[in-house]
Amino acid sequence: MPQQSQQNYSVQRYDETMRTLFVLPFAAILFVGRIGESTSLANDLLDLRGPGGIVGAVEEREKYAVVVLDDGLQMAIPRSSVARVVEGEEFDQYRKLKAQAGDDAERHFRLARWCMSEDGPPAKKEQFRRYHLERAVELDPQHAEARVALGYTRSKNQWVRTSELMHGRGLVMHRGRWSIPEVAASEEQARQRDIEAKKFRRRFARDMKTYLSARSDPRQIERIWDELVKLDDPIATMAVVEQMKEIQGIKTPQVRKLRRQLIMTLGKFRTIEAVQTLVALAIGEGDAQMRELAVEQLRDYGSSSLEQTALQILSTNSSSQLINQAARALSEFPREELAMRYAESLVTTHKQVTPPGPGMNVGIGNNGAAGMNMGSKATVVVEKKTNPQVLALLRKVVPEVDFGYDEDKWLDYLAEKRARYSGDLRHDQPLDFAR
């Protein structure tokens, strides 16, 4: 066998047209030889794994396939390199259309599109397509659609490779589109981080399952705990968030210990997902110890997110329970300048729809006639509720007065107080808010 492992062997024929279409490295050929005079052989295609293929008479054997070319050359290809054998008859439709194309550039362009259809060649569709696009451009150098399909762009009345034009502008191809190198590098870094994060999530889930298993080796549990305590890479954010959801509602001592550590670990990450999870815990967590721990993680980073979320709950038609939870969270970061917003949620109105029930109702119509209706109608119950956590928050930021749940008095007082503050800004005069 020739010692040319880095060269390519090109069969420059497919009914005398498929120039350099099928390419095979010499390293993949078991042997090359001749069988004598040239004869008319079948136009089978030995479809190779990856790019390339060989046209000739194909004979399949147990460990390799033998291809005999028209010039008498025969090659043996290992089966591991062969995708399949396509019989020559399957190319009959293609050969007919190719013959009709002749030297017509437009027909070659249309044939290139046909090659990618379901009716096109049964193998190597893209290589057949490219051959006919190149043939169209060879016959008509100004064939715009074929040029574009081959990756050309019109620039200064000349056809140039789009890749050359973009490279000249300092752009690089990244994941199917042109981009500036800095953006491409940033996106690639983010993609790699996402891949690493997914791998970590799977491993972390396995470790947590092992940690919570009563049958686990104590040494494994100790290792997992030590790694968790040291964990500070934000790439682990979603893994920790998912585990928090997984053990939610479990109140065993072991799980409580794990939840405390997971909350403290989230506090290290300072990512959007970590802050969102901690805010949800700080407002809605029923366990006071866990709630306070979540608030503690938000003090240096994330307190503004907690405040904005809680204020939004106060100003929307939330349940009384949720409003009190939000007010309780706000009491960790009280601000007197927000007192009027607090006061507006002292007493809230809630509507509750009672669904229709079974039974029979008797009623009197407008004409005085009695009638019967099956089932009762849905009713809407409007209820006003006082919110003690909001009152506690107000008392905390405005301790000098107490109007209970009288919203109007609170708002009047706060408005007057703000007016007094705004009316005299002299630095030499002390501000007396208690007047």
Side-chain angles (χ1 to χ4, degrees), residues 179-197:
S179 178
I180 61 176
E182 295 81 4
V183 171
S186 177
E187 289 180 350
E188 184 60 24
Q189 184 180 25
R191 190 178 74 87
Q192 291 299 326
R193 292 282 287 178
D194 184 58
I195 293 174
E196 293 173 17

Side-chain angles (χ1 to χ4, degrees), residues 196-366:
E196 293 173 17
K198 289 178 180 178
K199 291 180 179 178
F200 182 87
R201 284 159 69 178
R202 291 192 292 268
R203 182 171 66 82
F204 190 76
R206 289 195 301 268
D207 282 349
M208 292 297 99
K209 187 176 181 179
T210 299
Y211 176 81
L212 294 173
S213 175
R215 295 176 302 208
S216 296
D217 187 333
R219 289 173 297 182
Q220 278 188 305
I221 293 177
E222 184 178 359
R223 173 191 63 81
I224 293 169
W225 183 260
D226 289 343
E227 290 179 358
L228 177 59
V229 170
K230 296 175 183 177
L231 185 60
D232 59 1
D233 190 343
I235 200 173
T237 298
M238 292 311 299
V240 176
V241 170
E242 288 174 356
Q243 191 58 35
M244 287 290 295
K245 295 178 181 178
E246 188 71 22
I247 61 176
Q248 186 176 5
I250 304 176
K251 299 181 180 180
T252 64
Q254 187 183 21
V255 170
R256 281 179 57 80
K257 177 184 176 182
L258 179 59
R259 287 194 78 204
R260 284 195 296 270
Q261 184 56 51
L262 290 175
I263 290 172
M264 289 188 288
T265 300
L266 282 174
K268 300 177 188 178
F269 297 154
R270 300 192 171 188
T271 62
I272 294 174
E273 295 84 1
V275 170
Q276 287 175 339
T277 303
L278 291 171
V279 167
L281 289 168
I283 293 176
E285 173 60 42
D287 188 318
Q289 187 182 56
M290 301 298 173
R291 186 173 63 243
E292 292 169 6
L293 188 58
V295 171
E296 191 62 33
Q297 308 311 307
L298 292 167
R299 289 194 184 279
D300 295 333
Y301 185 88
S303 59
S304 61
S305 294
L306 174 58
E307 182 180 77
Q308 290 304 314
T309 302
L311 287 173
Q312 185 176 7
I313 291 173
L314 292 187
S315 61
T316 56
N317 189 25
S318 302
S319 67
S320 179
Q321 179 183 357
L322 190 55
I323 288 173
N324 279 282
Q325 290 173 337
R328 182 180 59 202
L330 286 169
S331 67
E332 299 291 340
F333 307 96
R335 287 207 289 155
E336 186 178 356
E337 59 268 31
L338 295 175
M340 294 189 77
R341 294 189 66 177
Y342 302 158
E344 291 170 347
S345 299
L346 270 171
V347 181
T348 50
T349 302
H350 305 273
K351 292 182 180 180
Q352 183 176 357
V353 178
T354 303
M360 182 180 296
N361 298 319
V362 179
I364 304 299
N366 293 330

Side-chain angles (χ1 to χ4, degrees), residues 40-67:
S40 179
L41 299 170
N43 288 318
D44 301 329
L45 169 64
L46 189 68
D47 188 13
L48 301 173
R49 298 187 187 279
I54 308 173
V55 175
V58 180
E59 179 185 350
E60 295 186 79
R61 300 184 183 178
E62 182 178 355
K63 295 184 178 180
Y64 55 88
V66 176
V67 187

Side-chain angles (χ1 to χ4, degrees), residues 421 424-431:
Y421 176 79
D424 192 348
L425 298 178
R426 290 180 298 168
H427 293 289
D428 59 341
Q429 294 292 327
L431 295 175

Side-chain angles (χ1 to χ4, degrees), residues 376-422:
S376 60
K377 294 182 179 179
T379 57
V380 178
V381 178
V382 179
E383 183 180 10
K384 287 192 174 183
K385 291 189 176 182
T386 57
N387 299 308
Q389 291 292 339
V390 177
L391 180 59
L393 177 59
L394 268 175
R395 288 169 174 167
K396 192 170 188 176
V397 297
V398 189
E400 68 272 16
V401 295
D402 186 355
F403 300 112
Y405 291 103
D406 192 329
E407 281 189 9
D408 292 338
K409 287 186 177 180
W410 277 108
L411 292 172
D412 288 345
Y413 175 80
L414 292 170
E416 182 184 355
K417 183 176 181 178
R418 180 175 294 182
R420 289 200 303 267
Y421 176 79
S422 302

